[in-house]
Every structure is written in structure tokens, then in C-alpha cells.
Amino acid sequence: MSVERYNARAVEPKWQRIWDERNVFRAEDDPQRPKYYVLEMFPYPSGKIHIGHGRNYVMGDVVARYKRAKGFNVLHPMGWDAFGLPAENAAMERKVHPRAWTYENIDTMRSQLKLLGLSLDWDRELATCHPGYYAHQQQLFVDFFKQGLAYRKESDVNWDPVDQTVLANEQVIDGCGWRSGAPVEKRKLSQWFLKITAFSEELLASLETLERWPDKVRLMQKNWIGRSEGLTFSFDLEDQDGNLIDETLTVYTTRHDTIFGASFCAVSPDHPLAVRHEADVAGLAAFRKDFAALGTSEEAIERTEKRGVPLGLYARHPFIDGLRLPVYAANFVLMGYGEGAIFGCPGHDQRDLDFARKYGLPVIPVVMPAGGDAEAFQIADEAYLQKEADDTVLINSDFLNGMSVAEAKQAIAERFEATDKGKRTVNFRLRDWGVSRQRYWGCPIPMIHCETCGTVPVPADQLPVLLPDDANFDTPGNPLDHHPTWKHVDCPQCGKPALRETDTMDTFVDSSWYFARFCTPRADTPLDAKIANYWLPVDQYIGGIEHAILHLLYARFFTRAMQACGHLDLAEPFDGLFTQGMIVHETYQDDDGNWLFPHEVTRGDDGTVRHAGTGAAVSVGPIEKMSKSKRNVVSPEEIVDTYGVDAARWFMLSDTPPERDSEWTQAGIEGAWRLVQRIWRMVAEVAQTDAGARADAISPQALAVRKAAHKALASVSQDIEHLRFNRAVAHVYELANTITSALQAARGGDAPADLPATLREAVELMVRMSAPMVPHLAEECWQALGHDEMLAASPWPDVDPAMLVEDTIVLPVQVNGKKRDELTVARDAETQEIERAVLALEGVRKALGGAEPRRIIVVPQRIVNVVA
RNA sequence: GCCUCCUUGGCGGAAUUGGUAGACGCACCGGACUUAAAAUCCGGUUCCUUCGGGAGUGCCGGUUCGACUCCGGCAGGAGGCACCA
């Protein structure tokens, strides 16, 4: 029997057209139906996609198609994270307008995505750079401003003195601007902030409720928020001569138990005390200038030696009469955390120890391991950091002596609180979110600065604040600021000439609420609470681990902020989160070091890799994330042309667990293509065979096939529910293998009469359970099997639970933990019966060698272990 | 430096969460079909072995009738955070 090959090139566009025409993937806002919202992190339209970009969309698509079949009203939309710096760079380099560049990319990428056969509701498509989107973002910003969740303050920025622009931390390389190469300066600038810290406690606490998030992501967010419990208290200050002065020094500490080990105090160079005394302390001005030049990059901070300048002030120790602690301005104290001031306890903090050694300050140990000798306990080069209650004891600490660290903290806190000189406080590492960007291609911040009225939001009826088309990208700096007219407006309150805010928003703002906008993408308010409350939260969100902290935290914040403004009633936007791995590929370089595309090389039978055109030797480099720069990319067009998109989808889902990186290989895509052909052949064979009537009295062979089909269906369903696509794929293969063998038997002639009908049933189940993964193939097969309805709009088949249980089972039998035999028994066999039968087994008798068993452990339906 | 995770055949990986280690796929080897090749189908493939067996999930130890799975230590790798007081 010969079967025509499955022709993906013809079949796939056909079904895509049919799905499209019948609007099967359009999501209706129908609060009566149970909903399921599947979302993949929307792409930045950078140009073209490669096949590596497809993985998370395919995963989401499998879930969407499965949930649709399970009867859910599925929302599965797509959009574009379309503002951002690359568009502006393109404008500068190629003289194209950022808008033109962006929309052209969107068009390209949309048609590429459509090749993948995704079950998307394209009617809800949105782009964040479209005024229909960012108008509402501006409205949200104004709402936040009115709620006190958006505010302006001075803050440090990385300033590129050549390009006259603010740089993001990632744009600072070795302390220099990435474009200009000029040393970056730390500068104070008025910037807009969103008050994420208003929700620090909530954002931390409700991480616990996000049970369908990876632990790893929750932990990363927890560390990022960085809650710590400590004590804030004030020192009285005296001058050189011991006179009390009219200033106090407030510090924050988590180690108040070590107060008796304090030997100095330190403030940030930016601390008001240091600023105030800049003029009258020798060397302080120069020290502060050095500090400002340091930049904000991590390496700069890490490499820097701990240094300080004494301010000529002394803090009075709160519990030791007459003890004066010198106060320094020190470069390792951050103004942005706690009070910007600390007391230094060199015995129990490494930075303090380094500092004390450098400046010859006393090092007094006040905590030591429990049971140690207090006299002999010394601190050398390493501070003693242990603070677990059971292992430690306080020494050299007056009324704290003998206490554990926890007890001492308690005692100190109570003393301070009794006299109102200090109180227990909670601090967070999390800072407010600076959203100001001095760029053109972003959402304009809808604010107006008026000399009389101050900062005034743009009234709702004047939104959106549109970007001007005629910006100039040739001069450095912010094009909006340079624009001759754009920023000049009348104050909406007093009508006098005023200035528009020329900052645009961080693009992370755009992506902080798009998932909510998808519920009502054309509404004339940012959200429609009723509909948003129906669709949200997103039931399954899928994206890269690189967004584990910022994007996901900002979106969580935004949802709370939108809730506070009455736009929806929801605190957590993403019920389930999945972080998928990347697609990686070998890299190739020729002798001159030029990167080669995979399609430019061929691999010989001996494994050597050569240039496909010239035959020159090619060196194979490491397997890396697909990227344009290393050219290790495969285009979706070439794969779809050669193998069809179902083969590509199947391959992306096979083998590697979805959260891990997966290597794209020629052999892999060919293997997937073979499976597609194999299913098609099976379907063709079954479709051509007269199945005959379905027999009720089913033969053992047919029963085995039916059981295999239902077991596979049960497994595949569970695997898709849990996003274990690699296992779902394996279970389909397993069933395919069973069917292949049975087909062979059926061809033999002496097969039971009910086998063909059962085989047809099994093949149909196989097709249906594969449909979410290889949807075009499944539709074509389903039609070939004589069905009229579309699988894309058909319910998921039911598992027959009776097919999942076996009447007799095979128990492995161990002797002393080693498998020696097997026992076939009824599923519900009595333990005693099993024990007796086991001892009669030859493998067991041999292994025992005549010895008496001491014990027999029977784990029902699992295993038997005979202990001799 | 701190925190987290990972380590199973030639390769990707599976193992019902303490119960037959290696499902399924790739690659490779053999066979069938073919004049031949491709395609397809069938069989084999953890290692050692004196063919009886023995060893085996990074390494060392522990708990258990039984450990890839739990506990302690070590090694290697990946990721996150990083003067956060």
C-alpha cells in the first residue's frame, strides 16, 4: 500500500485560512462561561524573528488549544512592546523615523508569527506605541499622580557629558557611556518616580499566595524586595571639646545587639550632616567630589577601598558614659538605605572591620560562640558574623552579657523604646521606580510645569499627549526637549505659558498593564472594570526567566496601583507563571573568524563541518542562545517551507523539559518531520480499511490497544495541564508504537475481528490528543478519517477510567533489595497470598539459597521485598 | 562574599515523588524490502563479565527492608543579589 506524503506546505495554509474565516479563536466577553486567559510575554518588534522566538508562543498555543477543547472561554491575544531605544538608534543610523521602523518590523513579525499557526485572537492586537494605547497609559499616570503614587524628586543619574543624556545602568560600560565612551558622571536630576514602595509589604507577603509561580522567581523577588527588621535610634552628638551640640545622628541597624561593640559612626557622603559640614572639615569637599565621580555601577563600588573622613563630631554612646564614637563620612554608606548612617561594630561586620583596621579604631568582640572563653576570644581579619540564637552568647556588653543575640536585640530595643529614643523599624531594599527617560520613542509623561501652579497634570480631555512627528535625531540629547515648539504650552490651570514635561516613560511601564488592556483593547477608558475582572488574572503567563524580577514586579505593582484607582478589582495579575528556556544552536566560524549561518554549513558523514559553498573548513563553536550577532539562527520561513510548522512545533515541544534551554538541530527537526509523516501514514491506513462493526466483546489484543490509547490520553492531558510538553510528546510516541505493532498484526489476517475498529478508535484518539501540538496535521487527519467538524472547535475526548486499571498486575520481587523475579497476581490479591506465592518463585528460592526469610515486605500494587 | 538551583547511557531526557533506573526521542549497529539507494518496517544498544552473574544515577558517608529521590560533607556547573548596616 502506498500513501502520498503529507504535504504540509499545502495543508497548513489551508487550515490557517479556515480557522481565520470561521473566527474560531476570537474571544467573546461572556461572563457566563468559565474563562481561561493564556498569555505569552509580548515581543519587542526588533526586526525579524528566528525560530528560537517561537518556543514560548508554541507552548502557550498548546495550552490555549487544550483549554479551548476543555470547554473554557479562552483569551489568547498578541501585541507589541513597541517603544524603546533601538527604534531611536535606527532613526539616528538610518534616517528612518522610529515609528516607520517600528511598524515595518511589526508587519514583518506579524506575518512570521502567523506562519506558526497560533490560535490567537488577532482582533485584540495592540502596540504600545499606538496613541490608542499610550493615551490610556497617560491617564493611568495622572490617576497615580492624584493618588500620590507618582511623584517627582531629585535623584542621581548616570550622565553622559558628551551625548548630553541620561544613561541606564546597562548603558554604562566600565564607567563610560556605551556610545560616546566618555566617563559617566553622577548627576542630580529631577525625575519621575512611581511609588512601588507603598506596596513593599504587600508585594512581599502575597508572593506566598502565588503557588503557581516557580519558587525560584518568588525567591528572586523576595530578595529583591529585601525586607529587614531592625532598630532606628539617635545618637546625641558632641563637638571636639565634648560639648553637646544641637544635632543628633539617626542610624538604622539590624544588629543592635552589638551596640557595646560600637567604635565609630559613619554617614554617607551625601548625608545632610556631611553636606552641612563640607566647608569646615578638611578634605571633606574633595572626598565628596571623589565619591560623586565614582558613578553608580556595581564594579566601581566593589573595587573601591573603604575610606572615610572624620567630621570632627562625636556620638555619645547611649549606654556607656563618657564613650565618644568618632563620626566619619564614609564611602561605603549608602544614602538610599535606612537613614544613610550607621554605627560601626568592627567585631561583627566585615566592612566595619576593614574600616576600623585602616583608621586604627578599637575592635571589641561582643558576640562569641556559646561555651567559648570570653577572655581569649579575639577578632583577627574576619568579623564574627554568627548570630543564630543557639550558638552564640553576648560578652563585654554590660547588662546583655550571657544573653543570646535574639535576647540582646529584644533587650536593647525595649530600652530604646522605653525612652522614646529609638524604635523597631522595618526596612526594604526595594526603591521607588524611576520612570523618567530623556528619550523620544516612549510614552510622554502627561505633566505640565507652570511657574505659578507648579506641576499640573494634563487634563483628561487633552489626552493623549502625542509625540511630535517632526523630531530631530541628529543632535545629542532628548529630541522632545530640543523640539522648537512641542514643549511650550499654556498651563491648564492658570492659562499662562508653561512647559511640558519632556521626559518619556520607561518602557517597562508599557508592559506593566498590557495584559489588562487586552481585555478591552479598544475601550475609551484604560480598562473596563467589569470585563477586566472577568478575564483577569492571567491564568497562564509564559515568558523568559530574564523578566523574573523587574517586569513581573512592576506588573504586580501596577495591578495594585490600578486597583487603588478603581480600574479593576484585583491585586495579583498572573495566577500561573511559567518561565521557558531558550532555544540554543551551535555557532560556526570560518578561518577568518566570520560567523556563518547554519544554512551556510554542511556536516559530512565523518562529522566534519564545511562551508556549503566553498568547502572550506569551518570551526564549530559553543552552543549558544540564538542571536543575530553570532548568526546561529534559523528562520521560521526556511523551516516551514521544508518541514512544515507542525514539525517545528513538535520538535520545540519534544525531549527537553520546557523550562530548560533546548538545542535546535537538523536531526531533531527531521525526527519531528518523520513523526508527522508516520501519523499521516497510520491515519491513511486506518481510513482505507473497512473497520467493520465495533464489537462489544472485545478481544485481548483489541483491549490492549484500547487501554494504551486511553492511558496515553490520560497522560497527555495531565502533561499538558502541567506544561510537561516533552512528556506529552513521549506519550504520543508510545501510543504510536503500540498502534504500529497492532496494525502489523491486523494486516496478518488471523487478527481478531474487533481489532480494526479498535485501531481506528485508537488512531482517532491519537490524532485528537496531538491536536494542540500539531494542529494542522490533526485537522487534516481528522478530515481524512471522515469527520466534518474542526478539531480546533471540538471538545477534548473523555478518558474511559475503566481502561486505566488492570485486573492483573506484575509485581517486581526483590530479595534484599535486588530484583530477582516477578509475580503476576490479581490487582487486589491479599498480602498473605502474595507472601506465599513469592516464596515459591524460582528466582527467590535461588537467591535465598535455602535461608529462611526474616521478613517479607509487600507494598500493595507496587513491589515485594524479601529480607533474608 | 551571600542566596538558590542543578549534576542519570554516546546525546536530549524519563522514573507514578522512598518501590523494577534508563520510558520516549536522537545517534549508532544489525536485519527485511530494493538491481541499488532513499524512504519504510523489524531487532539491538548503561558498563564489566569466566555468561553464573557483578557494578551502576558527580564523589564520600548516613538513615531505611529498599535511596536518582531523604540527611550530612565534598567537588563541578548554572542563575540571582551584592558596600542594604
Side-chain angles (χ1 to χ4, degrees), chain A residues 287-515:
Chain A
F287 180 70
R288 293 192 65 236
K289 205 175 157 200
D290 275 4
F291 182 72
L294 196 60
T296 55
S297 80
E298 287 166 19
E299 312 109 274
I301 288 166
E302 185 172 11
R303 278 201 298 267
T304 308
E305 183 189 16
K306 305 207 176 353
R307 291 198 301 130
V309 172
L311 296 180
L313 297 170
Y314 296 85
R316 287 186 175 171
H317 194 283
F319 301 110
I320 305 175
D321 266 354
L323 180 61
R324 291 153 47 100
L325 308 175
V327 180
Y328 290 79
N331 62 356
F332 65 93
V333 182
L334 305 173
M335 196 53 224
Y337 186 76
E339 300 292 330
I342 58 158
F343 76 78
C345 177
H348 307 285
D349 183 290
Q350 193 59 44
R351 294 156 302 175
D352 296 351
L353 183 61
D354 296 346
F355 191 80
R357 294 292 188 219
K358 183 171 168 78
Y359 293 105
L361 296 160
V363 180
I364 307 149
V366 290
V367 182
M368 70 166 189
D373 177 359
E375 297 294 310
F377 188 68
Q378 296 279 327
I379 302 291
D381 293 335
E382 281 184 29
Y384 179 69
L385 303 174
Q386 187 56 253
K387 56 194 174 194
E388 299 309 318
D390 294 345
D391 312 336
T392 54
V393 61
L394 270 283
I395 54 172
N396 301 327
S397 295
D398 192 6
F399 61 92
L400 300 177
N401 284 339
M403 290 184 184
S404 70
V405 165
E407 287 163 345
K409 279 187 183 176
Q410 172 89 4
I412 292 290
E414 280 167 8
R415 290 258 182 151
F416 273 111
E417 284 174 344
T419 58
D420 264 357
K421 288 217 156 189
K423 63 173 202 285
R424 274 172 272 214
T425 47
V426 173
N427 251 292
F428 293 90
R429 213 192 70 102
L430 185 67
R431 302 298 151 75
D432 278 337
W433 173 18
V435 296
S436 280
R437 297 292 182 270
Q438 290 70 36
R439 306 236 166 77
Y440 169 79
W441 194 232
C443 173
I445 293 176
M447 291 288 162
I448 290 166
H449 303 290
C450 169
E451 280 194 11
T452 316
C453 309
T455 303
V456 182
V458 175
D461 60 4
Q462 291 173 33
L463 291 179
V465 176
L466 292 170
L467 287 168
D469 284 336
D470 53 345
N472 175 359
F473 300 99
D474 295 333
T475 43
N478 181 357
L480 291 179
D481 202 35
H482 295 152
H483 192 279
T485 56
W486 187 78
K487 67 180 172 186
H488 298 285
V489 286
D490 294 337
C491 171
Q493 263 175 36
C494 67
K496 287 190 216 151
L499 287 178
R500 237 184 234 303
E501 173 64 62
T502 57
D503 287 351
T504 52
M505 293 183 214
D506 180 2
T507 55
F508 273 111
V509 177
D510 312 340
S511 54
S512 290
W513 70 289
Y514 77 107
F515 50 88

Side-chain angles (χ1 to χ4, degrees), chain A residues 552-864:
Chain A
L552 290 166
L553 193 59
Y554 292 151
R556 294 180 63 216
F557 155 69
F558 235 80
T559 305
R560 283 182 160 72
M562 289 190 293
Q563 183 183 37
C565 297
H567 289 292
L568 43 52
D569 187 17
L570 178 86
E572 286 296 337
F574 310 122
D575 190 50
L577 171 70
F578 187 82
T579 53
Q580 97 282 352
M582 293 176 302
I583 292 197
V584 294
H585 197 288
E586 277 182 334
T587 47
Y588 309 102
Q589 275 177 295
D590 66 17
D591 279 348
D592 300 329
N594 300 313
W595 299 104
L596 299 172
F597 287 107
H599 64 250
E600 293 177 306
V601 305
T602 53
R603 192 180 289 269
D605 289 339
D606 55 352
T608 58
V609 177
R610 305 196 159 272
H611 193 286
T614 65
V618 166
S619 66
V620 178
I623 297 163
E624 294 184 38
K625 176 188 179 182
M626 279 191 180
S627 74
K628 277 188 215 166
S629 59
K630 300 230 169 131
R631 296 199 166 180
N632 58 340
V633 292
V634 175
S635 81
E637 287 89 348
E638 85 184 75
I639 294 301
V640 168
D641 262 8
T642 322
Y643 303 99
V645 72
D646 281 337
R649 291 171 62 116
W650 186 258
F651 176 42
M652 282 192 260
L653 297 165
S654 300
D655 296 341
T656 307
E659 67 277 11
R660 289 195 211 169
D661 288 352
S662 168
E663 191 189 351
W664 185 276
T665 60
Q666 186 67 19
I669 183 70
E670 282 170 9
W673 181 83
R674 276 199 298 273
L675 176 94
V676 168
Q677 297 298 336
R678 193 174 155 205
I679 289 181
W680 179 244
R681 278 197 306 276
M682 281 188 249
V683 166
E685 178 167 356
V686 167
Q688 286 169 18
T689 309
D690 178 13
R694 186 180 149 168
D696 277 343
I698 194 160
S699 67
Q701 291 95 320
L703 186 62
V705 169
R706 182 176 286 172
K707 279 184 171 171
H710 280 269
K711 278 180 184 162
L713 177 61
S715 300
V716 168
S717 308
Q718 279 309 299
D719 289 337
I720 295 177
E721 292 271 4
H722 295 104
L723 293 89
R724 300 182 299 228
F725 306 113
N726 57 320
R727 283 155 68 174
V729 161
H731 285 121
V732 172
Y733 270 115
E734 223 168 356
L735 176 59
N737 291 347
T738 304
I739 292 174
T740 300
S741 310
L743 278 172
Q744 184 93 344
R747 267 179 242 134
D750 54 348
D754 58 356
L755 191 54
T758 312
L759 271 170
R760 186 185 179 96
E761 184 191 320
V763 167
E764 291 196 346
L765 275 179
M766 179 177 68
V767 165
R768 294 172 76 185
M769 74 178 76
S770 313
M773 300 178 272
V774 283
H776 314 80
L777 172 69
E779 296 284 9
E780 190 70 9
C781 289
W782 196 238
Q783 195 178 56
L785 287 162
H787 299 279
D788 295 331
E789 75 277 13
M790 268 187 306
L791 280 181
S794 301
W796 194 246
D798 291 321
V799 175
D800 180 355
M803 291 297 113
L804 302 184
V805 290
E806 298 289 352
D807 296 336
T808 59
I809 53 174
V810 179
L811 283 181
V813 180
Q814 300 180 328
V815 176
N816 290 330
K818 290 211 170 86
K819 190 191 161 194
R820 296 297 180 185
D821 214 325
E822 286 179 343
L823 180 67
T824 306
V825 287
R827 180 164 49 92
D828 50 2
E830 298 284 334
T831 300
Q832 286 178 342
E833 183 191 331
I834 292 172
E835 287 179 1
R836 220 176 308 124
V838 152
L839 291 178
L841 288 171
E842 189 175 332
V844 173
R845 290 217 313 268
K846 222 162 126 188
L848 284 175
E852 275 302 301
R854 284 194 291 147
R855 224 175 126 187
I856 301 177
I857 290 150
V858 177
V859 184
Q861 297 181 47
R862 278 283 161 80
I863 200 166
V864 181

